[in-house]
Amino acid sequence: MNSDGLILVVEDSEEDTEAIQRALSRSHPSLHVEFAPRSDAVVPRLLDPAAPTPDLVLLDLNMPGTNGLTLLSDLRAQPACASLTVVVFTSSTSSAEEDACYAAGADSYIYKPVNFELFQTVLRGAVDFWMAQKA
């Protein structure tokens, strides 16, 4: 793959999907970003031997069907997914949800700022940090 890597974004909000795409295309133009609007397709996608393994999974918590916390637990239960870097990127500021995410195996928990400039800065920092860990 001729890019900086692959990020799988699990996000159902069209507005947030657009904001993430716009922010990453500015900060990491050669990064490949794949979007999954529903969490129930993520585990089969990650277990597909023909599909590339993402360097980073950005996970929203508030999803239709299987929520992000359940998906995180499901991912960590799969040996093939246990070592994936999963960053919860959510609008939830609940400390109980944050604690539950870390207990379920999240590598990081990041609040989505409403202001786009701050959103872009926070997302760029997280991607830079976690992609450097993979290098």
Side-chain angles (χ1 to χ4, degrees):
M1 179 184 302
N2 189 16
S3 71
D4 288 338
L6 172 63
I7 294 181
L8 175 61
V9 180
V10 185
E11 174 63 66
D12 66 311
S13 163
E14 288 182 28
E15 288 177 359
D16 287 348
T17 296
E18 182 182 321
I20 291 167
Q21 181 65 50
R22 195 168 26 139
L24 290 176
S25 68
R26 292 177 183 179
S27 64
H28 300 84
S30 62
L31 184 70
H32 180 72
V33 182
E34 180 181 335
F35 289 92
R38 295 194 53 89
S39 55
D40 55 353
V42 173
V43 172
R45 173 2 198 132
L46 291 171
L47 295 177
D48 179 354
T53 301
D55 298 295
L56 175 65
V57 176
L58 283 180
L59 176 62
D60 184 33
L61 286 183
N62 302 315
M63 300 285 294
T66 304
N67 69 32
L69 182 58
T70 301
L71 175 58
L72 177 60
S73 296
D74 292 347
L75 288 175
R76 293 305 187 214
Q78 294 289 331
C81 300
S83 65
L84 283 173
T85 299
V86 179
V87 174
V88 175
F89 192 53
T90 183
S91 56
S92 174
T93 59
S94 165
S95 59
E97 281 189 334
E98 182 177 357
D99 292 344
C101 287
Y102 281 121
D107 293 291
S108 187
Y109 186 98
I110 300 172
Y111 173 72
K112 292 179 196 170
V114 177
N115 172 286
F116 182 72
E117 278 187 44
L118 187 53
F119 181 97
Q120 185 174 352
T121 300
V122 167
L123 185 56
R124 180 179 53 240
V127 169
D128 286 347
F129 178 83
W130 288 108
M131 295 300 276
Q133 301 303 309
K134 291 289 184 185

